[in-house]
Amino acid sequence: MNQENQAVEGYSKKAASPYKWEMVVDLDRCTGCEACVLACHAENNIRISGEEEAAQGRAINWIRIERYWEGEYPDVKAKFLPVMCQHCDDAPCEPVCPVYASYHTPEGLNAQVYNRCIGVRYCGNNCPYVARQFNWFDPHWDEPLAEQLNPDVTVRSGGVMEKCTFCVQRIRTGKETAEKEGRRVKDGDITPACVQSCPTSALIFGDANDPESRVAHLKNNGRGFHLLESLGTHPSVTYLRRLSE
Amino acid sequence: MTNKPTGWEEIPQINRDLLAPLQTTTWRYFLWVGILGCFVAAGLGAWTYQIQTGIGQTNLHHPIFWGSYIGSFVYWIGVSHSGTFISGVLRLTNAEWRRPVTRMAELMTMVALIVTALFIFYHLGRVWLFYYLIPYPNQRGIWPNFRSPLMWDATAILTYATASTIYIYLPLIPDFALARNRIQGWRKTVYRWLAMGWHGSQAQWYTLETAIRIITPLIVMVMISVHSIVGFDFGMALVPGWHSTIFAPYFVVGAVHSGLGMVVIGLYVLRKVYHLHDYVRTEHFEKIGQLMVVTTLLLAWLYFSEQLTVWYGKIPEHIAVQDSLLYGSYAVPFWFMVNCIYVLPLITLVWPRFRRWPLGLMIIGLFINIGMYMERMLIIVPPLGHPRLSFQWVDYFPSFIELTILTGTLALALLLYSLAIKFVPVISIWEEKFGRTHGQHH
Amino acid sequence: MDNTTDMAEQHVILGLFDPKTSLSPVLDQLRSQGIPDALMEVLSPLPLETPLLNKPGGIPLHRITIMGGVVGIGVGIFFAAGTAWLYPLVTGGKPIVSIPVVGIISYETMMLVAIVVTFLAMAVKIGFKQQSGIRQDPRIDEGAVGLSIQVGDDTAKAESVSRLLQEAGASEVEIRTIADHV
């Protein structure tokens, strides 16, 4: 009952929880190396799609590096844009789900409840960031990859929608540790797999409610913008503009 | 009462003619049913395979999460509007010529709705959990989310299916009673149950006619709401090319357009097969032809308004979708569709002489339906294939499994219709009698 | 028919008329013989315009429809608003109970319940509220109008009624005797 009340308040007052998990993507630092993509796969038990499925456009990536070319040959530049679920405050994917598989947690996360999902895929259509990925078949991992599944993360069956969770399992662990020690989560306690693996520190994660956190500083440093901001989805991911062209 | 108009002497003939399809069946019918059965079996096999192996047997891939199944869903629910529109609206406006057409059209509504429901199941990623959509107190402690347009849709379709079943059943009661009195064997028992003890007393006629009079306007309102809500499924989404207010009226008119086309096909075929020339006359084709001119113009007007707004507004994401239709990867189906549903019907049907040519009308009906099927696909696929982040732009064409299921379902619709006309008189017998005895005999 | 004993005999007379024959005079005569409208029934293969008999109709159908509609609105409000409140989950920053949604769902359930209830009421009126002993005559299907009269176990009365029907121009008159189970 307590939790339900919390959820109701979550609507009226967006941040019912003391935490507000946000991410900052510094485009000036991103080299497009895709280490984050790989780390995400390993951490989150994302199925291995293989060459054939990838060619069909079915490779599942919770985070992807979009590559846009600018200029005319030979004077071209590759621009990289890491895109993951933006954990929008007003997420278009949430209300369209007929079975509440997609909903908003009081901490501002956009949650996907795998075992409620029946695969109508409306959320996928309605996500302007194409962050949502669908399991077209049951998952499989080539040996020996099947030996390295993360026990903290559900393996999703075929017919289920999935997407970036901000590594919710790590957020849980971080919060539980902090709770045990009777303190707030400190900046840097929690690092999602992509953030951990980024060699240039282009990805920064933290609690935006903590004014001292790096996320809170960076998102207000004047370079910040949101992806497709005009849609009013209020994403939790802030991108930082490139410094030089 | 003394000078009752004539027409009563035709009653035995009407009984004989209209019950004949129920009583005699040729080998050709069995052959036809057998062929359809094979296609249905193939479709069923394909669906089983898809359930077993995964929804990936379709060619869907992100961001095109909806494809041929939802397109077909929209198309078939459009066809289901044929019956309600023809019989509902024409009954409301007291259009006398409706009499021989209503039953055939209402049967189409029923069949189309069954088929429509199937497409929801084909589409689900985990179809075995479909009951999560049903609102009932359950151990999961959670109800469906009625804020989702899909739940509006489910509610509307439930209402529409229930109401149409009732609506087709009401005028059938006196006909079932007639069949009960005339047909022997196991069917007699079924007819006796269905006739609910009908014996044609004045009180019964009064009750029946009152019920029809009450339900007719209601079902017309339901019909309009149903396809509006199907339009809302798209209109509520943020997808460029979907997010538009015009979808509700556009879908309703489009549904009636394809529905009328389907009715013309049905009329033509049934008239030919069961020699109903005395009942379905050129005049009926002519009237439907006139209605088709109206729906063509209405639909073209709505479509033009929509596309013009996008074109003039020049919002890049929206223009990307439009460009893909006008001269991009979907240009061929798009222009074919435009010809099928707008140009061709308009240049032919405006000629009164053409409207009096049943075969010609049937062919136009066929084109309209092919065109509308493509139109439904084109509403779904190009917008999904052109999300705002252009890195994700993709194309889509249905897979073999999808096409098999689509064909199998079309065969199922034809099969159900063929079976239905062996059980239900294709023309409402008592309404036809009523029309003849009340001086409306043209 | 409350005063009849358990297994009383019941004579039912069926007269068949040409649809051109007016039934009003013969009905008046029958009424003057003391046969109430409740025991008479006019049978026809298609609806006749003028009501010939005066029978209590029960609750008018449209009133049942309206009541059904009101109940349906309640059902819709329960589903769209009630279930959302039972387990409030925030989605997309939208209100837990949103009025347009309640409107849409209530509209559909209003129509659903109204139509179903109307149908059920009609079925009760057609199927259950009928006189015993009425038999479907195939000649009525072929375009005759039938007049069916119950006269109880009074054989003399049955004969006088059947004479009266013949004089009124009935092409065929039949007396059947059935066991009344009322």
Side-chain angles (χ1 to χ4, degrees):
Chain A
M1 205 56 207
N2 190 25
Q3 201 154 8
E4 288 167 19
N5 290 341
Q6 233 180 345
V8 181
E9 273 175 36
Y11 160 65
S12 48
K13 232 175 2 113
K14 281 280 159 51
S17 128
Y19 303 110
K20 172 83 174 75
W21 306 114
E22 291 206 3
M23 194 180 276
V24 168
V25 180
D26 191 341
L27 294 178
D28 199 51
R29 286 171 167 270
C30 178
T31 60
C33 73
E34 307 218 11
C36 50
V37 178
L38 207 67
C40 178
H41 266 261
E43 169 73 14
N44 289 303
N45 297 342
I46 298 174
R47 70 191 297 269
I48 305 297
S49 303
E51 202 176 345
E52 196 188 335
E53 280 182 41
Q56 292 167 345
R58 284 173 172 171
I60 291 184
N61 298 304
W62 285 7
I63 181 168
R64 63 171 184 269
I65 309 293
E66 297 200 347
R67 183 198 54 208
Y68 294 97
W69 296 106
E70 271 177 21
E72 289 295 318
Y73 181 83
D75 189 21
V76 282
K77 273 181 181 157
K79 296 284 167 77
F80 299 111
L81 180 71
V83 180
M84 73 299 287
C85 172
Q86 309 284 306
H87 292 272
C88 312
D89 274 358
D90 294 328
C93 58
E94 289 169 0
V96 296
C97 177
V99 291
Y100 284 119
S102 173
Y103 87 109
H104 213 69
T105 70
E107 287 179 23
L109 289 183
N110 173 270
Q112 176 71 10
V113 188
Y114 304 125
N115 51 8
R116 277 208 60 79
C117 178
I118 59 171
V120 300
R121 313 195 278 285
Y122 199 169
C123 56
N125 289 343
N126 215 20
C127 173
Y129 308 101
V130 201
R132 292 187 156 259
Q133 310 281 307
F134 191 71
N135 288 279
W136 300 100
F137 295 105
D138 278 332
H140 80 95
W141 288 269
D142 295 334
E143 289 299 334
L145 289 173
E147 306 297 329
Q148 60 93 55
L149 292 181
N150 185 348
D152 292 338
V153 178
T154 319
V155 168
R156 286 79 57 185
S157 73
V160 168
M161 195 61 88
E162 62 182 51
K163 60 163 194 66
C164 162
T165 61
F166 272 178
C167 284
V168 70
Q169 66 281 5
R170 294 187 177 203
I171 296 178
R172 289 256 168 79
T173 316
K175 270 170 62 183
E176 278 163 17
T177 313
E179 218 170 291
K180 249 183 275 171
E181 295 168 5
R183 58 175 172 89
R184 249 184 90 95
V185 172
K186 287 199 306 275
D187 196 32
D189 275 2
I190 300 168
T191 12
C194 54
V195 175
Q196 193 180 16
S197 66
C198 182
T200 57
S201 299
L203 304 169
I204 301 100
F205 181 83
D207 173 18
N209 280 358
D210 174 5
E212 295 310 310
S213 69
R214 281 182 303 153
V215 161
H217 279 297
L218 285 170
K219 71 183 269 203
N220 296 319
N221 78 350
R223 286 197 287 142
F225 73 97
H226 294 304
L227 209 50
L228 304 176
E229 203 158 353
S230 63
L231 292 175
T233 52
H234 305 115
S236 297
V237 178
T238 308
Y239 287 81
L240 301 182
R241 216 166 266 116
R242 280 182 203 86
L243 285 166
S244 59
E245 276 313 304
Chain B
M1 287 295 284
T2 37
N3 50 350
K4 209 171 251 213
T6 51
W8 286 73
E9 67 283 353
E10 292 179 54
I11 286 177
Q13 181 67 36
I14 297 175
N15 288 345
R16 262 199 306 283
D17 286 352
L18 298 186
L19 285 177
L22 276 61
Q23 287 163 319
T24 52
T25 303
T26 61
W27 63 270
R28 275 190 297 258
Y29 177 83
F30 288 111
L31 181 67
W32 166 246
V33 166
I35 293 170
L36 289 176
C38 295
F39 278 102
V40 172
L44 199 65
W47 187 26
T48 315
Y49 181 64
Q50 180 191 291
I51 293 174
Q52 264 186 343
T53 54
I55 195 81
Q57 294 303 340
T58 61
N59 265 354
L60 295 167
H61 53 104
H62 72 268
I64 301 186
F65 288 110
W66 288 2
S68 61
Y69 297 149
I70 296 292
S72 307
F73 164 83
V74 178
Y75 168 79
W76 280 105
I77 202 158
V79 170
S80 81
H81 280 44
S82 57
T84 326
F85 179 80
I86 294 262
S87 77
V89 174
L90 299 185
R91 223 189 274 273
L92 270 184
T93 52
N94 251 331
E96 271 303 321
W97 64 270
R98 71 169 197 274
R99 292 182 190 281
V101 189
T102 52
R103 177 70 49 75
M104 295 177 191
E106 286 163 12
L107 277 179
M108 277 176 196
T109 299
M110 285 286 299
V111 169
L113 275 172
I114 295 169
V115 167
T116 303
L118 271 177
F119 277 104
I120 301 175
F121 295 105
Y122 296 157
H123 171 79
L124 290 183
R126 299 204 293 175
V127 64
W128 48 93
L129 296 178
F130 75 93
Y131 57 88
Y132 283 9
L133 290 166
I134 304 169
Y136 64 99
N138 56 64
Q139 90 290 354
R140 301 185 297 283
I142 196 167
W143 296 78
N145 177 14
F146 278 94
R147 279 165 285 174
S148 165
L150 292 182
M151 282 311 291
W152 313 348
D153 216 347
T155 317
I157 289 172
L158 174 74
T159 302
Y160 189 44
T162 314
S164 322
T165 312
I166 288 173
Y167 188 62
I168 187 174
Y169 180 55
L170 293 185
L172 260 172
I173 296 170
D175 287 359
F176 278 145
L178 180 69
R180 167 199 66 194
N181 297 346
R182 297 196 155 222
I183 289 174
Q184 301 305 320
W186 63 272
R187 283 196 290 176
K188 192 183 185 75
T189 322
V190 180
Y191 286 130
R192 188 166 57 234
W193 276 98
L194 290 171
M196 295 201 299
W198 181 267
H199 45 67
S201 75
Q202 271 207 300
Q204 286 182 331
W205 281 116
Y206 175 76
T207 311
L208 182 71
E209 290 203 298
T210 313
I212 293 177
R213 214 166 30 243
I214 292 172
I215 289 179
T216 303
L218 296 185
I219 198 157
V220 172
M221 285 157 78
V222 170
M223 166 193 102
I224 289 169
S225 78
V226 169
H227 224 77
S228 300
I229 289 174
V230 174
F232 292 161
D233 282 348
F234 301 94
M236 297 301 126
L238 282 180
V239 180
W242 281 8
H243 193 66
S244 161
T245 54
I246 211 157
F247 270 67
Y250 179 69
F251 270 43
V252 173
V253 176
V256 174
H257 195 47
S258 61
L260 285 173
M262 204 53 126
V263 167
V264 156
I265 299 171
L267 269 185
Y268 181 83
V269 174
L270 288 174
R271 171 171 109 138
K272 204 167 169 71
V273 173
Y274 291 111
H275 312 290
L276 299 171
H277 296 72
D278 287 347
Y279 302 89
V280 181
R281 294 177 296 272
T282 312
E283 166 217 351
H284 296 107
F285 287 92
E286 200 182 348
K287 295 277 195 214
I288 294 178
Q290 287 169 347
L291 279 179
M292 279 156 80
V293 175
V294 176
T295 53
T296 307
L297 288 170
L298 260 178
L299 198 66
W301 170 56
L302 291 172
Y303 202 61
F304 179 72
S305 312
E306 165 74 359
Q307 298 300 342
L308 180 74
T309 312
V310 170
W311 178 76
Y312 204 89
K314 265 196 123 164
I315 300 170
E317 299 100 60
H318 295 238
I319 282 289
V321 177
Q322 194 174 52
D323 282 354
S324 78
L325 290 172
L326 294 179
Y327 26 73
S329 43
Y330 299 101
V332 175
F334 173 79
W335 289 109
F336 182 73
M337 176 274 285
V338 166
N339 277 298
C340 281
I341 63 178
Y342 303 122
V343 180
L344 204 60
L346 206 61
I347 56 172
T348 50
L349 294 175
V350 288
W351 302 103
R353 279 189 57 194
F354 189 91
R355 292 198 296 264
R356 283 193 290 273
W357 180 35
L359 177 65
L361 265 128
M362 196 275 280
I363 292 168
I364 293 298
L366 216 53
F367 272 113
I368 287 179
N369 273 280
I370 294 169
M372 285 307 291
Y373 212 118
M374 298 180 75
E375 197 267 349
R376 298 319 193 187
M377 298 290 183
L378 288 175
I379 279 184
I380 291 166
V381 174
L384 287 180
H386 295 83
R388 289 180 173 83
L389 299 174
S390 55
F391 187 72
Q392 297 285 330
W393 284 8
V394 287
D395 285 337
Y396 156 86
F397 189 81
S399 71
F400 177 70
I401 292 286
E402 280 177 282
L403 292 174
T404 311
I405 292 181
L406 258 46
T407 320
T409 314
L410 173 65
L412 177 70
L414 294 172
L415 179 65
L416 289 175
Y417 200 85
S418 305
L419 295 178
I421 57 177
K422 285 291 158 194
F423 186 72
V424 163
V426 282
I427 289 176
S428 178
I429 299 177
W430 70 270
E431 287 181 282
E432 182 67 22
K433 290 173 184 169
F434 190 85
R436 300 244 182 157
T437 52
H438 286 70
Q440 301 292 351
H441 190 189
H442 300 274
Chain C
M1 283 181 288
D2 303 324
N3 52 356
T4 48
T5 49
D6 263 277
M7 286 297 288
E9 298 255 287
Q10 174 87 278
H11 295 301
V12 183
I13 300 142
L14 177 69
L16 295 176
F17 292 85
D18 186 275
K20 291 193 181 71
T21 319
S22 167
L23 289 180
S24 310
V26 65
L27 288 172
D28 285 338
Q29 278 176 301
L30 287 166
R31 285 186 192 111
S32 67
Q33 287 212 356
I35 297 172
D37 280 14
L39 294 182
M40 299 193 281
E41 201 61 270
V42 177
L43 310 171
S44 56
L46 46 97
L48 303 171
E49 282 137 304
T50 35
L52 296 165
L53 295 166
N54 185 21
K55 293 190 174 200
I59 310 170
L61 219 44
H62 68 266
R63 213 173 289 169
I64 293 171
T65 311
I66 291 168
M67 288 190 290
V70 172
V71 172
I73 291 174
V75 172
I77 290 173
F78 168 73
F79 280 132
T83 65
W85 264 114
L86 280 172
Y87 199 138
L89 288 169
V90 178
T91 59
K94 290 193 163 45
I96 297 293
V97 173
S98 79
I99 289 157
V101 171
V102 175
I104 290 172
I105 300 293
S106 312
Y107 177 88
E108 295 299 334
T109 48
M110 170 185 78
M111 291 297 189
L112 178 65
V113 179
I115 291 174
V116 169
V117 162
T118 310
F119 169 71
L120 293 178
M122 184 215 72
V124 169
K125 280 178 182 231
I126 285 183
F128 299 105
K129 284 193 178 175
Q130 46 177 286
Q131 291 179 18
S132 52
I134 291 180
R135 197 169 60 90
Q136 191 67 38
D137 193 292
R139 286 162 294 188
I140 295 175
D141 289 338
E142 295 289 277
V145 174
L147 180 53
S148 173
I149 300 137
Q150 286 184 20
V151 289
D153 54 357
D154 187 346
T155 316
K157 194 169 184 184
E159 268 159 24
S160 81
V161 167
S162 86
R163 234 185 345 270
L164 201 144
L165 292 183
Q166 259 153 5
E167 281 162 20
S171 57
E172 193 92 32
V173 180
E174 267 182 17
I175 307 178
R176 288 193 311 129
T177 310
I178 55 162
D180 195 342
H181 295 283
V182 176

